[in-house]
Every structure is written in C-alpha cells, then in structure tokens.
Amino acid sequence: MADVIYELYERMSAHPYMLLNISDILATFGTFMAVLIAIEIFINIVSYLREDVIHIKIMLSTAFMAVARKVIVLDYKETGADYVYATAALMLALSVAYWLAVVRNPSKAQHGEL
C-alpha cells in the first residue's frame, strides 16, 4: 500500500500540481491492482501451507485478475495485434477453466479444490 501512496504522491507533485491525466490514473490503478494480486498470492500460499490442497478457484481468480490488470494498463498504441490476440486467448482460456472447475463442478466448488 505504501507503493500506491508513493506513486500517487509522485504523480500529484509533478507539474501541473494536483492534476492527474488518464495515464497517471491508469498507472496508479495498475499499482493498486498489483497490490491486490500480491495479497491474493499470499492468501494462496497460506491456504496451501495450512491445508496442503491447491484451491483451484482462488488460483484461477488470481490469474484472471493478473491478466485483467495487464489488459487495463496495456498501451494499445504501442502493442502489436498478435500480443492483443494472445492476451484475449489467455482470458478466454482462463474463463473456460474457471467455468469448468467451479461452475460446472458444483460439488467441488464448495471447497474450491480439485
């Protein structure tokens, strides 16, 4: 969280003062999402160490959030079409995996484990 506050302070203290443009807001939002992803990874590690079971639902949601963060902060003016298509394919694959593991298999969805 200190990194998010520092990033916001740096963006607001640059000229023009107390004014954020779209790229500043996206950079701050990307930093905030990186903190959330780090917290989710920590939860994944703690739950694995406590129960010795990999929770697929949490792992897939963490991966989906990481790819979604990349999509949000991606600069489409400098990115090639093949990279955008690959990212879209990854999002589709994660969505199908989540659907198969959690929605389609309700008996295991209670525990989130496979």
Side-chain angles (χ1 to χ4, degrees), residues 81-95:
D82 55 346
Y83 191 83
V84 174
Y85 291 140
T87 307
L90 182 59
M91 290 288 279
L92 181 64
L94 284 171
S95 301

Side-chain angles (χ1 to χ4, degrees), residues 27-75:
T28 305
F29 185 66
T31 306
F32 180 71
M33 285 188 69
V35 169
L36 291 178
I37 292 167
I39 291 170
E40 284 190 10
I41 291 172
F42 178 73
I43 291 170
N44 290 341
I45 293 170
V46 168
S47 68
Y48 176 73
L49 291 175
R50 284 188 182 162
E51 301 172 18
D52 199 30
V53 174
I54 297 175
H55 294 270
I56 298 298
K57 182 178 179 180
I58 298 172
M59 294 294 287
L60 287 173
S61 65
T62 303
F64 198 79
M65 185 175 204
V67 176
R69 176 195 173 272
K70 185 67 177 175
V71 168
I72 290 170
V73 299
L74 193 64
D75 187 10

